[in-house]
């Protein structure tokens, strides 16, 4: 169709679209490109915009990710480091945040290397490829509240700090409780407010006024977090952390850690270990490059931030497979879950200001964008599979949704995806700090569904431990691996 248009027709279209850009022909404009070329260029830009608008969300996201990965891959060969001060295993939220903070503080003083086996995650669903990224402050433990508050502050400054727009949607979080859990929710809200996270307890009457689309039959109270609660673009946060860390000089290398090499240090004695056994320090990482080549990286300090693979990697360091302190495994497992996107044009469905609702039975839902799309799923599960699958939205999720939202029409599911996250089976909380046996191994893993929002605080905490030998901002010492050795769990009641 375009080919058969005359130049005048093209000009008219262009004039309609962009009047300000059409300039009269004159000798003064001799430095301007030829008018036909200029018009075609403008049309091409318009077509590109139309295409971007209609490209489905996930495709757009993959395009961005692919570009990022191309540049990561290009740098591998010339950037490969055989020695470094700090080696970080895992280049997602936590690993990238640790690299960002270490380099921001120490700049040229520390050579920081991040190894990541799969930068793009094109075949797995993670924070890069899914539109997920909830930020909330509704926790019981002060440590989690403080980390969440810092996450919110960091995200507020993401534009200046990282140069990215994390597109924060400040629609809040609403947790519902039955009579049985009402007191716990009240206590949690009290603690949250003491620490500066503003959450409000809502009676059923108030809930009814604020959220008339909710069915409240079995609800005793709700807790709403307005400030610093909402959702953000997880990919932008992650890519921002990575690129800023690179700008500060961190080396991101695509490779998979497959083993460690140890160094015997007979002069080191580890507290709690038999004096007859000699200490073997972690010394080198053996990594497999994307082309299959095996290389090694010698490091002074290693940070384990490998999410769901952390326990497997810990085993390579003999954690959980040897004797003494090393017989205690890293209690992190992989949990799988499903999320669904549905569309509803039911007039009774919740409106644009809908918060992310966390229901009594673990059901959650929130709006996504302005076109009647919602994201939903079940967050709670006591085993690694929670019985959800791509095909059982209708049987498993929909009944709970219809029970909570007074919708008349059945919504249509338009997408479903499986994803996994790391889970600490010991007490559900993150593990941050040095390992009790290895004086050069720091663990930063096990944050359940919160790894991304907590990553700015966790990364900063790891940098404090490595550079200052102590926590300087938020005291996270209760979250160290030591609590597993002495069997002192600290439970959080709020994980989704
Ligand atoms: C669908 C979905 C929704 C989420 N929603 C939220 C949310 O709302 N709020 C929030 O805060 N967080 C959210 N998260 C984050 C998530 O729950 C985790 O807590 C977070 O991803 C943990 O970050 P991490 O960096 O510790 O681990 P991961 O993200 O698991 O990253 C670990 C990295 O280590 C790499 N790795 C593993 N083994 C090796 C090896 N041998 N060699 C080299 N590299 C290796 C992996 O490839 C991986 O990239 C979501 C995640 C998903 C998937």
């Amino acid at each position: 169709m375009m080919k058969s248009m005359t130049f005048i027709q093209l000009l008219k279209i262009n004039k309609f679209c962009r009047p300000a850009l059409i300039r009269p022909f004159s000798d003064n404009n001799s430095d301007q490109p030829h008018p036909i070329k200029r018009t075609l260029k403008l049309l091409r830009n318009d077509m590109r915009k139309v295409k971007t608008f209609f490209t489905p969300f996930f495709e757009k996201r993959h395009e961005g990710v692919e570009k990022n990965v191309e540049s990561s891959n290009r740098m591998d060969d010339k950037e490969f480091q055989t020695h470094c001060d700090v080696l970080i295993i895992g280049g997602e939220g936590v690993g990238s945040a640790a690299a960002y903070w270490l380099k921001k503080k120490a700049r040229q003083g520390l050579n920081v290397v991040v190894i990541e086996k799969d930068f793009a995650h094109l075949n797995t669903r993670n924070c890069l490829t899914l539109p997920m990224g909830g930020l909330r402050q509704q926790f019981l433990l002060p440590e989690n509240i403080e980390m969440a508050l810092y996450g919110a502050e960091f995200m507020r400054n993401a534009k200046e700090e990282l140069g990215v727009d994390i597109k924060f949607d400040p629609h809040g979080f609403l947790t519902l409780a039955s009579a049985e859990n009402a007191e716990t929710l009240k206590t949690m809200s009290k603690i949250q407010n003491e620490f500066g996270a503003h959450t409000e307890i809502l009676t059923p009457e108030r809930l009814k006024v604020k959220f008339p689309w909710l069915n409240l039959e079995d609800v005793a109270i709700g807790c709403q977090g307005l400030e610093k609660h909402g959702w953000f673009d997880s990919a932008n946060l992650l890519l921002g952390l990575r690129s800023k860390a690179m700008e500060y000089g961190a080396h991101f290398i695509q490779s998979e850690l497959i083993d460690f090499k140890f160094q015997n240090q007979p002069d080191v004695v580890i507290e709690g270990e038999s004096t007859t056994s000699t200490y073997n320090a972690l010394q080198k990482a053996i990594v497999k490059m994307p082309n299959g080549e095996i290389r090694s990286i010698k490091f002074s300090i290693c940070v384990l931030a490998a999410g769901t693979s952390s326990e497997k990697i810990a085993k390579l360091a003999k954690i959980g497979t040897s004797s003494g302190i090393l017989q205690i495994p890293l209690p992190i497992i992989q949990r799988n879950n499903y999320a669904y996107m549905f569309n509803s044009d039911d007039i009774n469905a919740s409106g644009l200001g809908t918060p992310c609702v966390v229901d009594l039975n673990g059901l959650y839902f929130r709006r996504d964008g302005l076109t009647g799309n919602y994201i939903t799923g079940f967050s709670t599960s006591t085993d690694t599979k929670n019985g959800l699958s791509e095909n059982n939205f209708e049987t498993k999720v929909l009944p709970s949704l219809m029970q909570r939202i007074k919708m008349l029409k059945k919504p249509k599911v338009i997408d479903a995806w499986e994803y996994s996250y790391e889970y600490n089976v010991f007490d559900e909380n993150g593990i941050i700090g040095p390992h009790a046996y290895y004086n050069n191994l720091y663990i930063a893993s096990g944050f359940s569904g919160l790894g991304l929002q907590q990553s700015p605080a966790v990364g900063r905490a790891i940098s404090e431990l490595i550079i200052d030998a102590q926590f300087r901002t938020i005291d996270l010492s209760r979250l160290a691996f030591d609590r597993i050795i002495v069997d002192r769990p600290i439970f959080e009641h709020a994980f989704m």
Side-chain angles (χ1 to χ4, degrees):
M1 190 184 105
M2 297 279 273
K3 272 184 192 159
S4 61
M5 277 184 180
T6 63
F7 172 49
I8 300 297
Q9 277 171 315
L10 285 173
L11 255 187
K12 274 185 188 160
I13 291 170
N14 230 349
K15 200 165 186 167
F16 180 69
C17 298
R18 297 167 175 268
L21 291 177
I22 303 289
R23 295 190 193 97
F25 304 151
S26 87
D27 286 340
N28 296 344
N29 283 330
S30 56
D31 58 330
Q32 297 293 324
H34 190 279
I36 295 183
K37 275 193 186 158
R38 200 178 59 208
T39 308
L40 287 173
K41 192 176 160 199
L42 291 173
L43 269 175
R44 255 201 315 274
N45 283 345
D46 285 343
M47 292 307 290
R48 215 172 281 139
K49 277 187 192 154
V50 170
K51 185 181 161 218
T52 321
F53 182 80
F54 285 109
T55 307
F57 178 86
F58 293 124
E59 262 178 53
K60 271 194 232 168
R61 192 164 280 252
H62 276 281
E63 272 174 23
V65 170
E66 269 160 9
K67 272 190 200 134
N68 186 269
V69 163
E70 268 172 34
S71 59
S72 312
N73 283 346
R74 268 202 307 277
M75 72 164 66
D76 284 347
D77 261 0
K78 57 179 191 301
E79 289 251 331
F80 190 85
Q81 308 286 301
T82 51
H83 291 69
C84 65
D85 297 308
V86 183
L87 178 79
I88 299 172
I89 306 165
E92 286 288 297
V94 171
S96 301
Y100 162 81
W101 274 108
L102 283 163
K103 289 304 287 183
K104 183 181 161 90
K105 286 183 166 189
R107 298 289 166 105
Q108 301 314 314
L110 278 182
N111 183 17
V112 176
V113 170
V114 181
I115 50 172
E116 167 55 58
K117 67 175 175 187
D118 180 9
F119 277 116
H121 286 279
L122 293 180
N123 301 316
T124 49
R125 289 290 174 93
N126 82 335
C127 317
L128 264 186
T129 48
L130 285 177
M132 311 288 266
L135 172 70
R136 65 210 163 99
Q137 316 290 332
Q138 295 186 27
F139 303 105
L140 175 69
L141 290 184
E143 286 89 343
N144 284 327
I145 301 170
E146 286 191 279
M147 283 195 280
L149 283 170
Y150 180 67
E153 187 189 323
F154 188 86
M155 286 185 215
R156 193 173 46 237
N157 300 322
K159 193 98 191 154
E160 297 87 69
E161 195 81 19
L162 307 177
V164 292
D165 181 3
I166 58 142
K167 300 177 189 153
F168 187 64
D169 243 315
H171 287 307
F173 257 77
L174 175 67
T175 308
L176 302 175
S178 60
E180 198 189 332
N181 297 318
E183 279 313 307
T184 311
L185 201 64
K186 281 185 195 164
T187 310
M188 285 170 69
S189 175
K190 194 165 168 276
I191 298 173
Q192 288 149 18
N193 281 287
E194 276 166 18
F195 279 87
H198 300 132
T199 58
E200 188 188 3
I201 291 293
L202 301 175
T203 59
E205 293 71 40
R206 289 262 291 134
L207 284 168
K208 211 169 164 180
V209 174
K210 284 191 112 173
F211 310 108
W213 40 267
L214 274 179
N215 184 352
L216 295 164
E217 266 165 25
D218 49 347
V219 173
I221 57 165
C223 179
Q224 190 181 18
L226 284 169
E227 244 179 61
K228 300 167 189 165
H229 287 75
W231 43 97
F232 57 91
D233 188 317
S234 46
N236 278 7
L237 177 66
L238 182 55
L239 297 177
L241 282 167
R242 259 187 210 165
S243 44
K244 202 66 183 178
M246 283 183 199
E247 195 184 310
Y248 288 151
H251 302 276
F252 280 69
I253 295 169
Q254 176 131 345
S255 61
E256 181 181 358
L257 180 113
I258 52 168
D259 211 349
F260 285 108
K261 282 258 178 286
F262 301 82
Q263 187 192 33
N264 189 257
Q265 295 182 351
D267 51 328
V268 177
V269 179
I270 300 294
E271 205 180 323
E273 285 293 286
S274 131
T275 44
T276 52
S277 61
T278 54
Y279 174 64
N280 281 314
L282 290 171
Q283 190 198 30
K284 278 184 189 170
I286 309 299
V287 300
K288 190 173 170 189
M289 303 301 287
N291 63 4
E293 196 187 338
I294 307 295
R295 292 190 186 180
S296 72
I297 305 173
K298 194 172 177 189
F299 56 83
S300 303
I301 288 173
C302 177
V303 178
L304 178 52
T308 52
S309 302
S310 293
E311 190 254 1
K312 203 170 123 203
I313 291 170
K315 271 191 183 149
L316 297 176
K318 301 194 174 133
I319 296 169
T321 63
S322 194
S323 56
I325 295 173
L326 285 177
Q327 70 187 296
I328 297 160
L330 187 64
I332 294 173
I333 60 161
Q334 172 172 328
R335 270 191 168 179
N336 299 322
N337 209 340
Y338 264 88
Y340 306 84
M341 186 179 271
F342 67 87
N343 187 276
S344 174
D345 56 2
D346 193 315
I347 50 158
N348 289 322
S350 55
L352 288 180
T354 306
C356 180
V357 180
V358 183
D359 209 339
L360 315 177
N361 58 357
L363 174 86
Y364 68 89
F365 58 90
R366 69 160 170 89
R367 282 189 72 110
D368 189 56
L370 306 173
T371 52
N373 287 350
Y374 295 75
I375 291 175
T376 187
F378 274 102
S379 51
T380 48
S381 62
T382 47
D383 52 26
T384 52
K385 280 258 174 206
N386 67 0
L388 294 180
S389 77
E390 197 169 328
N391 303 320
N392 60 11
F393 172 78
E394 294 253 336
T395 50
K396 294 264 182 179
V397 185
L398 197 57
S400 297
L401 259 179
M402 299 289 282
Q403 149 85 12
R404 187 57 66 215
I405 312 176
K406 297 172 185 165
M407 282 187 287
L408 301 173
K409 286 195 265 174
K410 268 190 186 177
K412 279 183 261 131
V413 66
I414 52 176
D415 202 357
W417 53 85
E418 186 177 21
Y419 64 92
S420 57
Y421 61 94
E422 77 292 357
Y423 180 76
N424 171 1
V425 287
F426 179 70
D427 62 8
E428 306 181 332
N429 268 300
I431 301 171
I432 309 168
H435 186 264
Y437 180 86
Y438 294 111
N439 56 23
N440 64 344
L441 175 67
Y442 291 82
I443 299 165
S445 194
F447 299 94
S448 296
L450 302 169
L452 208 52
Q453 71 156 61
Q454 307 294 56
S455 64
V458 176
R460 186 178 64 174
I462 289 291
S463 76
E464 289 169 357
L465 286 175
I466 290 175
I467 295 171
D468 308 313
Q470 59 181 299
F471 292 116
R472 284 205 175 269
T473 46
I474 307 173
D475 183 2
L476 299 174
S477 32
R478 288 203 306 165
L479 296 180
F481 185 82
D482 297 16
R483 74 184 191 275
I484 298 153
I485 298 173
V486 295
D487 196 17
R488 223 173 274 151
I490 44 169
F491 289 103
E492 173 58 73
H493 286 257
F495 288 120
M496 275 172 57

